[in-house]
Amino acid sequence: MGIKIKLKGKVARYAIKALIKFPPTVSEPLIKVVLEKIWRQKITNVHQILPSVKRLSDTTSKNCQEKLFENLAFKGLIENQKIRDEGARHGLPPLHTILISPTMRCNLKCSGCYSKNYQKKDDLPFEIFDKVIKEGKEVGVAFFTILGGEPFIRDDLCLIFEKHLDVYFQVFTNSTLLNDEVVRKLAELGNVAIQFSIEGLKERDDKRRGKGHFEKLMTAMGIARKHGILFGYSVCVTRENVEEVMGDEFLELMMQKQSLVGWYFLYMPVCGDRTTGPMPLPEQRKLMKERRDYIRTHYPILIIDFWNDAPYVGGCISARYYCHINNFGDVEPCIFTHFAQANIKNCSLKEALNCEFFREIRSRQPFNKNLFLPCPLIDHPWESRTFLKIPGVYPTHPQAQTLIEDLKDDLDRYSQEVHRIYTPVWEEWAKQK
């Protein structure tokens, strides 16, 4: 096939078999790019790849597999690279994905959540939602992440997916609005993956999201499995649930339900919280890395540890490889950075990506040679206090300033400790590269 890297036995044969229906112009470069990344960066190991690919083949429909390979993998990794390269010659960042929160409304009333403050009138208008995806495709984006609130509270969400069958979407959802009819429609479209938000095992999940939520979530996973939708789970990791959601019992449950992906995000005090109490301790962040490494050796599931995986992408990726557009149209550099200098209702996506705010962030990246410390909000808080003072930068919700004002001393102390904990971790990791 002309692939210049050494493909390992059964893994290569299975990958080729999985893509055999595609012409060589598609399958050859796709296999080459994906496997080169895996071996070069040591994201996972050979023994995990084969069962992971087999699980994908066994649990997802042919239509969903084809859209995954065509839209996300081939178009996103290969075809659109020439668009990103051309954009770079005009000063644009190599954007790979856009996060969109088309609504902040939600049908649940989880403790401490801010969604109750939003109404339908606050939703992102359909025409602006559509504009973001159209202009995203123009800069080379083939992958869009839909957040909330609860995205499926909107009755026009599937219209967006159907209108843009040439790209791939993943939707983070609380699961409660996913009935058989909705999931069947998503399976027919094929270009949507579902990420189920979960707090941990039954007792912990019900305590946070309401009695009965866990069983509803398990039911929704079963419906997704029945229709062959690619799905996974998403966890907001806190000081209280970190050991549970990284533990074997939880992983075994997710495997049993046929989850293919697991997202792990640190709790961030960005919504007006006046305490860092729920944040995982620096020692717990290190535990997450250790458990991540163990999981990647023992479980055929793709997990993404948003902070501990930062070395694989060169540190902080905000304003460079991705951005977030909220329900009001504010273009934020990161889902956790609730500040903006541009609104997509008043400018093009290209103009927003090249605003002074975004350029300043990109000029400072990475914020430290230790790439396990990527975040300017909690790992290098003095950095965010600098670029958030750029003229014209504004908070995108009333409590955003709390992070850089009320929590200043707490975050400085946290940062000092996480630097201490992760210095030897980085030194060991760097020696192995």
Side-chain angles (χ1 to χ4, degrees), residues 106-120:
C106 185
N107 60 316
L108 296 184
K109 293 180 173 59
C110 303
S111 59
C113 183
Y114 49 84
S115 65
K116 61 181 178 292
N117 298 324
Y118 294 87
Q119 302 173 33
K120 188 172 183 178

Side-chain angles (χ1 to χ4, degrees), residues 37 74-89 94-96 139-140:
K37 287 180 179 291
F74 183 64
K75 180 174 288 185
L77 290 175
I78 299 170
E79 270 196 344
N80 283 7
Q81 187 56 49
K82 60 180 178 291
I83 300 176
R84 292 189 289 267
D85 289 344
E86 177 63 24
R89 286 190 278 272
L95 208 66
H96 280 71
V139 298

Side-chain angles (χ1 to χ4, degrees), residues 38 154 222 243 264 269 295 297 327 344 374 386 402:
I38 288 171
R154 288 187 62 137
E243 294 184 11
Y264 290 85
I295 291 167
T297 302
N327 59 302
I344 199 66
T386 300
T402 299

Side-chain angles (χ1 to χ4, degrees), residues 98-316:
I98 298 176
L99 281 57
I100 310 172
S101 294
T103 182
M104 294 306 294
R105 293 180 292 136
C106 185
N107 60 316
L108 296 184
K109 293 180 173 59
C110 303
S111 59
C113 183
Y114 49 84
S115 65
K116 61 181 178 292
N117 298 324
Y118 294 87
Q119 302 173 33
K120 188 172 183 178
K121 65 179 179 61
D122 299 319
D123 287 359
L124 191 69
F126 182 90
E127 61 272 16
I128 302 299
F129 194 178
D130 184 49
K131 170 191 174 182
V132 170
I133 297 169
K134 286 179 179 176
E135 295 189 0
K137 289 191 279 190
E138 291 173 3
V139 298
V141 177
F143 184 39
F144 295 84
T145 295
I146 310 301
L147 306 161
E150 169 49 49
F152 286 103
I153 207 168
R154 288 187 62 137
D155 57 12
D156 57 3
L157 196 60
C158 284
L159 294 178
I160 284 287
F161 302 151
E162 189 169 11
K163 189 172 183 179
H164 298 281
L165 283 172
D166 57 340
V167 297
Y168 199 79
F169 298 90
Q170 67 170 349
V171 186
F172 286 73
T173 174
N174 67 31
S175 79
T176 59
L177 300 179
L178 287 177
N179 56 31
D180 197 82
E181 180 183 356
V182 173
V183 177
R184 183 187 297 112
K185 176 64 175 178
L186 296 178
E188 290 172 356
L189 296 173
N191 63 334
V192 183
I194 301 170
Q195 308 300 343
F196 293 101
S197 298
I198 187 170
E199 305 294 327
L201 298 171
K202 185 178 188 300
E203 181 179 356
R204 191 179 303 279
D205 188 74
D206 279 359
K207 181 180 179 181
R208 171 80 171 88
R209 293 179 175 265
K211 186 176 181 180
H213 176 264
F214 184 81
E215 290 305 325
K216 291 177 182 177
L217 191 152
M218 295 297 105
T219 298
M221 283 186 168
I223 296 172
R225 171 67 181 89
K226 180 180 75 170
H227 289 288
I229 292 282
L230 190 159
F231 71 89
Y233 64 92
S234 171
V235 177
C236 175
V237 183
T238 70
R239 195 170 301 183
E240 289 74 30
N241 73 353
V242 57
E243 294 184 11
E244 184 171 301
V245 296
M246 301 298 291
D248 288 333
E249 183 179 0
F250 181 80
L251 265 294
E252 292 290 349
L253 175 63
M254 294 298 100
M255 290 287 296
Q256 176 189 332
K257 302 306 292 186
Q258 300 292 354
S259 289
L260 294 170
V261 183
W263 290 88
Y264 290 85
F265 302 95
L266 298 184
Y267 168 87
M268 294 280 283
V270 296
C271 297
D273 307 332
R274 296 182 183 276
T275 176
T276 58
M279 289 176 62
L281 297 167
E283 294 89 345
Q284 291 175 315
R285 260 174 78 169
K286 182 173 178 287
L287 171 66
M288 287 180 66
K289 179 193 175 299
E290 293 166 355
R291 284 296 300 174
R292 178 206 70 180
D293 295 341
Y294 175 87
I295 291 167
R296 287 179 177 166
T297 302
H298 293 83
Y299 290 94
I301 188 169
L302 173 64
I303 66 166
I304 300 97
D305 180 344
F306 207 65
W307 266 257
N308 283 316
D309 283 339
Y312 297 125
V313 291
C316 174

